[in-house]
């Protein structure tokens, strides 16, 4: 993989995937617990299976340009996660990969990310405010547009995940619970915030951003 | 050639059971396939298994897919996208209860109705 404007190298990508898979594995029980409260109790296990599958193909992925690697990783998640989060997180990565030029800067990344989040919304037939992962994905977009550094973006993501606790779920399995969905963090939102934290930490370690 | 029917449930037992009911009540005039369970064998759905089921039930008249909950629908949409055109526009997901919808859809399909009619018949069962 060649050096790009973002300075994302093959090693960076490798570290990122390894760190994401490790974070999901370490938090799988917590994510499943959140999902047991308002969903069907498999989110952590599903995400873990998906990220382990991506990890298993890391050597092959790391030989591809970043956009291609993102597409392939997204496809792997779609094929292995099993729950609705597979197509959703998979669509995020596949769209990012499709929209990113081979050599991208921050602005190009933000533009691609916006299209990717819109694609997730379309896939889930959902929008912000329904107590889903979109309630973290959109605040991340806002933070990046405002020029926040990776740490601030991650902090905004965590705050956004916390903000799903008092929300009433109107989309996804939690919506079946109606008012009883209030008082629990959305598991998809928790996963996305977790991954945003990993991305921020990895970018800082590798780029001193 | 009649429209084919695919049953996608989180549970392989549910999917197979619905397919059994269709076979017994409607007969063998429609292509029929089912799948259920996530890629690890737990409750859930698998894009790969859905794609294989669509292939198995394939008819040039189209395929109507009956799904149960959230992920089954999302994963079916994903499978249809991966299958791509020209076949993708011949595959429709019915917004209908899985058991009753499958039987209504298959009954309509067995009479040679086009895909749009098969889907509309299944969807008459859905509350608006």
């Amino acid at each position: 993989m060649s050096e790009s404007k973002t300075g994302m190298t093959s090693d960076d990508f490798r570290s990122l995937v390894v760190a994401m898979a490790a974070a999901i594995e370490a938090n799988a029980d917590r994510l499943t617990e959140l999902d047991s409260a308002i969903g069907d109790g498999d989110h952590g296990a599903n995400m873990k299976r998906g990220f382990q599958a991506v990890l298993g193909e890391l050597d092959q992925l790391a030989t591809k340009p970043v956009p291609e690697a993102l597409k392939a990783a997204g496809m792997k998640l779609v094929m292995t996660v099993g729950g609705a989060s597979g197509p959703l997180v998979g669509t995020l990565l596949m769209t990012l990969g499709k929209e990113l030029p081979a050599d991208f800067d921050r602005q190009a990344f933000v533009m691609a990310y916006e299209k990717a989040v819109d694609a997730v919304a379309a896939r889930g037939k959902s929008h912000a405010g329904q107590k889903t992962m979109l309630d973290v994905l959109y605040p991340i977009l806002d933070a990046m547009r405002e020029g926040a550094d990776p740490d601030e973006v991650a902090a905004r993501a965590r705050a956004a995940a916390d903000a799903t606790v008092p929300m009433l779920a109107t989309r996804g399995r939690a919506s079946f619970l109606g008012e009883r969905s209030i008082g629990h963090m959305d598991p998809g939102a928790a996963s996305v915030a977790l991954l945003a934290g990993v991305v921020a930490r990895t970018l800082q370690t590798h780029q001193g951003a | 050639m009649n429209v084919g029917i695919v049953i996608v449930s989180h549970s392989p037992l549910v999917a197979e059971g619905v397919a059994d009911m269709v076979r017994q009540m409607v007969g063998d005039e429609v292509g029929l396939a089912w799948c259920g369970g996530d890629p690890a064998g737990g409750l859930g759905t698998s894009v790969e298994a859905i794609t294989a089921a669509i292939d198995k039930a394939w008819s040039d008249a189209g395929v109507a897919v009956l799904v149960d909950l959230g992920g089954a629908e999302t994963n079916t949409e994903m499978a249809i996208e991966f299958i791509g055109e020209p076949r993708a526009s011949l595959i429709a997901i019915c917004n209908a209860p899985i058991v009753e919808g499958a039987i209504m859809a298959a009954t309509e399909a067995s009479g040679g109705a086009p895909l749009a009619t098969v889907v509309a018949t299944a969807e008459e069962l859905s509350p608006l």
Side-chain angles (χ1 to χ4, degrees):
Chain A
M1 196 184 297
S2 60
E3 187 88 6
S4 67
K5 288 181 200 167
T6 50
M8 183 172 254
T9 62
S10 165
D11 275 354
D12 293 337
F13 184 81
R14 191 176 273 278
S15 313
L16 196 56
V17 173
V18 169
M20 282 180 158
I24 291 289
E25 177 153 25
N27 287 276
D29 288 348
R30 180 176 72 95
L31 294 172
T32 287
E33 220 168 276
L34 291 173
D35 195 31
S36 298
I38 56 171
D40 57 356
D42 59 6
H43 184 63
N46 285 348
M47 290 290 278
K48 183 175 152 186
R49 182 170 56 245
F51 275 88
Q52 290 300 318
V54 174
L55 201 56
E57 295 202 341
L58 189 52
D59 285 339
Q60 200 202 335
L61 289 176
T63 64
K64 298 174 189 281
V66 171
E68 291 306 315
L70 285 168
K71 270 196 255 179
M75 177 75 92
K76 197 74 199 169
L77 290 178
V78 169
M79 299 312 267
T80 52
V81 169
S85 44
L88 297 173
V89 181
T91 294
L92 184 78
L93 298 190
M94 287 190 298
T95 312
L96 259 182
K98 201 174 77 186
E99 297 294 334
L100 278 176
D103 195 19
F104 57 90
D105 56 13
R106 185 190 165 101
Q107 194 189 352
F109 182 84
V110 174
M111 282 169 64
Y113 177 83
E114 179 176 8
K115 292 210 167 113
V117 177
D118 286 343
V120 174
R123 169 80 53 218
K125 300 184 189 77
S126 181
H127 52 79
Q130 295 191 300
K131 196 180 179 105
T132 71
M133 65 172 68
L134 291 173
D135 293 310
V136 175
L137 291 171
Y138 279 118
I140 289 174
L141 174 63
D142 293 340
M144 285 196 299
R145 274 188 184 143
E146 290 159 22
D149 67 32
D151 243 4
E152 287 169 45
V153 174
R156 293 268 288 272
R158 276 193 305 278
D162 287 339
T164 65
V165 173
M167 290 172 82
L168 172 74
T170 52
R171 185 78 184 117
R173 196 75 50 84
S175 65
F176 296 0
L177 294 175
E179 302 260 316
R180 281 180 293 146
S181 66
I182 294 171
H184 303 276
M185 187 184 295
D186 176 67
S191 280
V192 172
L194 177 69
L195 293 174
V198 172
V199 174
R201 274 196 302 280
T202 309
L203 288 180
Q204 269 172 342
T205 314
H206 284 256
Q207 298 170 23
Chain B
M1 193 171 211
N2 294 332
V3 168
I5 305 291
V6 168
I7 320 284
V8 181
S9 169
H10 279 57
S11 156
L13 296 174
V14 168
E16 186 176 15
V18 175
D20 279 347
M21 289 175 69
V22 170
R23 273 281 169 257
Q24 186 171 334
M25 294 182 188
V26 182
D28 295 325
E29 297 87 38
V30 290
L32 177 67
W34 58 270
C35 64
D38 69 24
L43 294 178
T45 52
S46 146
V47 174
E48 206 171 343
I50 295 167
T51 308
I54 291 172
D55 283 342
K56 191 176 170 213
W58 185 255
S59 153
D60 290 339
V63 168
V65 186
L66 280 298
V67 299
D68 56 8
L69 299 165
E73 183 181 8
T74 319
N75 274 324
T76 301
E77 287 169 355
M78 209 80 230
I80 295 171
E81 250 180 63
F82 288 161
I83 287 169
E85 294 301 345
R87 292 170 74 206
S89 47
L90 289 171
I91 308 167
I93 300 173
C94 302
N95 176 21
I98 189 164
V99 180
E100 295 88 335
I103 296 191
M104 291 305 290
T107 305
E108 197 66 38
S110 70
L115 180 63
T117 311
V118 170
V119 173
T121 305
E123 292 188 349
E124 276 170 26
L125 296 161
S126 294
L128 209 63

